[in-house]
Amino acid sequence: MGIRKVSDQLDWQGKNVTVAGLGVSGIPAARVLHGLGAVVTVVNDGDDERSRAQAAELEAEGITVRLGDGATLPSGTELIVTTPGWQPDKPLFAAAAEAGVPVWGDVELAWRLRGPEAAPWLAVTGTNGKTTTVRMLASILEAAGLRTAAVGNIGVSLLDAVLGDETYDVLAVELSSYQLHWAPSLRAHSAAVLNLAPDHLDWHGSMEAYAAAKGRIYEGNTVACVYNAADKATEDLVREADVEEGCRAIGFTLATPGPSQLGVVEGILVDRAFVENRQKQAQELAEVADVQPPAPHNIANALAAAALARAFGVEPKAVRDGLRAFRPDPHRIELVEDIEGVVYVDDSKATNTHAAEASLAAYDPIVWIAGGLAKGATFDELVQKSAARLRGVVLIGADRALIREALARHAPEVPVVDLDRTDTGAMSAAVQEAAGLARPGDTVLLAPACASMDMFTNYNKRGEAFADAVRALAATGRA
């Protein structure tokens, strides 16, 4: 990776920097800092075979690595750069606070190291929909002829984007609550919070702390703070943010938009925010049919992406062309097969109740495949909102009893198949059971509302198991 001149005024030569954690962000951070002349020590809780192999590579480059000791602050540390997964209550950070040592995340480091002609950031966060929205945004920016990349938690790493040889006009940046927590000086051109629902509370400690971390994305915005008009908590974060003079609050809604909003009118995505007379004018951007899939929460994602693009001056035609060109990542409301009038949809990415609720709202009637690791979630509200849509439910995974009990309380008439197994082969049995419950016109929907690690490596593997089982079912029908 070529490194351009950086804008940060800090003299890195000989500066003692501790990097907390190996992995996808820790290793690049350590290498970049070492390349800038810092004396880098990486500390890592784990001491397994993979960590030892990573450590050996870094040590061969002159970087010190301490495995199995992530709690002790190395002597002489002047700065900590942490990977996103390290929780704020770690002893290392308590020791840093006592010693007056600042803590940055990988996003903060990237922000500080931007070059003098750095591309502005259009930033996105939220409990659900971040990746899809950022990729939609990048597609729109590309359609406008702009040099861009989807970065952050996806695509190009932020450090590569800001320090690499390739230049960009603008970056579409996905940011998690973890990353925002450790990014105090980040100042985006414009930013969006898509939604807020309880998630990662074990990391943040409370819903208030989680929301505050999300709200940091608005700090110092220069043009637009984009919020979800259907989620008051996101608008509240805008009201609390300290922004540049002239920065505007821009809402998005699935209803008819008011002034300074984007919304939907008779199947058309329209803009009443970035027009000459927003009291009386509305600019057509695209049709609902241009968004794939046209599920309600995906339309909301498209509106948020369009708002950020319009804040950057993108013309309406590019919004339409970018949305038409976009295709979602696998396992996000992905159509797998239509078997004898029953549609099978893979939304394995719905790893929490908020995401599952949005997925369930897109179909009717549904045979729902759910379950996995609940991560402390409760399911009563989800079941109450979705009960009328359910033809039947098939439960898998370690915490399926929590969903079964919620169904018994709020949807006792809905047939439930409880598969008492957590092996990977359970997905094939779940699809078979769902097929038995479904009728022509129904959707069999994998929207687990739970994490996957009790049965699968990740949600991708879970989705692949579902798709394989559905295709096997289709092949049996065609045989």
Side-chain angles (χ1 to χ4, degrees):
M1 180 183 71
I3 296 181
R4 300 194 303 271
K5 175 176 169 54
V6 299
S7 62
D8 190 85
Q9 298 303 306
L10 186 63
D11 182 6
W12 292 98
Q13 195 67 40
K15 189 174 183 69
N16 286 295
V17 183
T18 294
V19 174
L22 291 165
V24 294
S25 60
I27 291 172
R31 285 178 167 146
V32 164
L33 290 163
H34 178 69
L36 293 171
V39 178
V40 180
T41 300
V42 180
V43 298
N44 194 66
D45 284 335
D47 186 10
D48 54 20
E49 184 177 344
R50 184 184 181 197
S51 298
R52 288 191 288 273
Q54 292 170 327
E57 289 185 16
L58 292 177
E59 287 172 337
E61 299 171 28
I63 297 169
T64 301
V65 182
R66 292 189 346 197
L67 297 177
D69 181 17
T72 307
L73 184 68
S75 178
T77 297
E78 299 170 80
L79 170 70
I80 293 176
V81 175
T82 181
T83 55
W86 281 47
Q87 296 185 197
D89 60 358
K90 296 278 278 188
L92 179 69
F93 302 137
E98 186 174 342
V101 175
V103 180
W104 297 357
D106 59 324
V107 169
E108 180 74 9
L109 179 64
W111 180 257
R112 299 270 192 141
L113 295 181
R114 294 166 304 134
E117 303 298 325
W121 292 15
L122 301 176
V124 178
T125 195
T127 303
N128 294 299
K130 297 183 293 295
T131 299
T132 297
T133 302
V134 165
R135 290 191 60 240
M136 282 180 171
L137 174 59
S139 183
I140 292 169
L141 296 170
E142 288 170 358
L146 295 165
R147 294 169 300 174
T148 191
V151 301
N153 280 338
I154 58 171
V156 179
S157 83
L158 263 172
L159 283 170
D160 283 347
V162 301
L163 296 178
D165 294 325
E166 187 165 354
T167 57
Y168 299 100
D169 298 311
V170 58
L171 293 174
V173 186
E174 177 185 341
L175 297 173
S176 71
S177 59
Y178 301 164
Q179 291 171 314
L180 287 163
H181 178 89
W182 298 117
S185 69
L186 169 67
R187 300 292 183 265
H189 172 287
S190 298
V193 180
L194 303 177
N195 42 61
L196 277 176
D199 201 16
H200 305 306
L201 302 191
D202 54 345
W203 197 94
H204 290 281
S206 69
M207 184 63 193
E208 290 74 20
Y210 172 63
K214 291 291 192 186
R216 286 193 180 201
I217 203 168
Y218 289 136
E219 291 299 314
N221 282 196
T222 58
V223 176
C225 294
V226 178
Y227 68 91
N228 184 347
D231 190 336
K232 184 177 181 299
T234 65
E235 185 175 4
D236 290 342
L237 292 178
V238 176
R239 296 184 191 282
E240 295 162 7
D242 184 9
V243 301
E244 291 292 316
E245 186 175 352
C247 183
R248 296 171 54 202
I250 305 297
F252 63 90
T253 174
L254 296 178
T256 300
S260 294
Q261 291 186 339
L262 282 73
V264 181
V265 178
E266 296 180 354
I268 305 295
L269 276 60
V270 299
D271 172 6
R272 287 190 66 188
F274 302 99
V275 290
E276 189 172 335
N277 184 349
R278 53 185 180 267
Q279 297 296 328
K280 297 182 178 179
Q281 288 181 313
Q283 172 65 56
E284 180 178 330
L285 298 176
E287 296 182 7
V288 166
D290 293 324
V291 181
Q292 294 300 319
H297 67 287
N298 212 38
I299 299 299
N301 293 338
L303 289 165
L308 290 172
R310 294 286 283 159
F312 198 69
V314 168
E315 293 298 318
K317 182 179 182 297
V319 175
R320 182 199 66 193
D321 292 348
L323 290 176
R324 284 180 176 175
F326 172 77
R327 290 295 177 270
D329 285 340
H331 317 301
R332 290 171 167 84
I333 326 182
E334 183 178 16
L335 173 64
V336 179
E337 290 276 357
D338 183 331
I339 304 175
E340 297 179 354
V342 176
V343 175
Y344 291 77
V345 174
D346 169 12
D347 196 14
S348 183
K349 182 63 172 66
T351 57
N352 56 46
T353 56
H354 189 266
E357 180 184 329
S359 191
L360 288 161
Y363 303 98
D364 188 15
I366 300 162
V367 177
W368 181 28
I369 300 177
L373 284 178
K375 301 184 297 180
T378 58
F379 299 90
D380 290 85
E381 184 177 355
L382 173 62
V383 170
Q384 281 179 307
K385 290 182 176 179
S386 308
R389 297 172 176 271
L390 299 178
R391 171 84 69 198
V393 180
V394 181
L395 297 175
I396 58 175
D399 292 332
R400 64 191 181 280
L402 297 174
I403 306 176
R404 184 183 67 239
E405 291 160 7
L407 287 161
R409 284 190 290 270
H410 305 292
E413 72 289 350
V414 174
V416 177
V417 177
D418 188 343
L419 290 178
D420 185 16
R421 51 192 289 192
T422 56
D423 60 288
T424 54
M427 187 61 77
S428 179
V431 168
Q432 292 283 349
E433 294 287 355
L437 292 170
R439 304 175 190 172
D442 290 357
T443 298
V444 172
L445 175 65
L446 174 67
C450 292
S452 59
M453 288 79 75
D454 58 330
M455 297 171 62
F456 301 94
T457 308
N458 50 44
Y459 75 82
N460 295 288
K461 294 296 184 184
R462 179 170 61 188
E464 290 167 9
F466 173 78
D468 288 346
V470 171
R471 291 179 184 124
L473 180 68
T476 300
R478 288 191 290 263

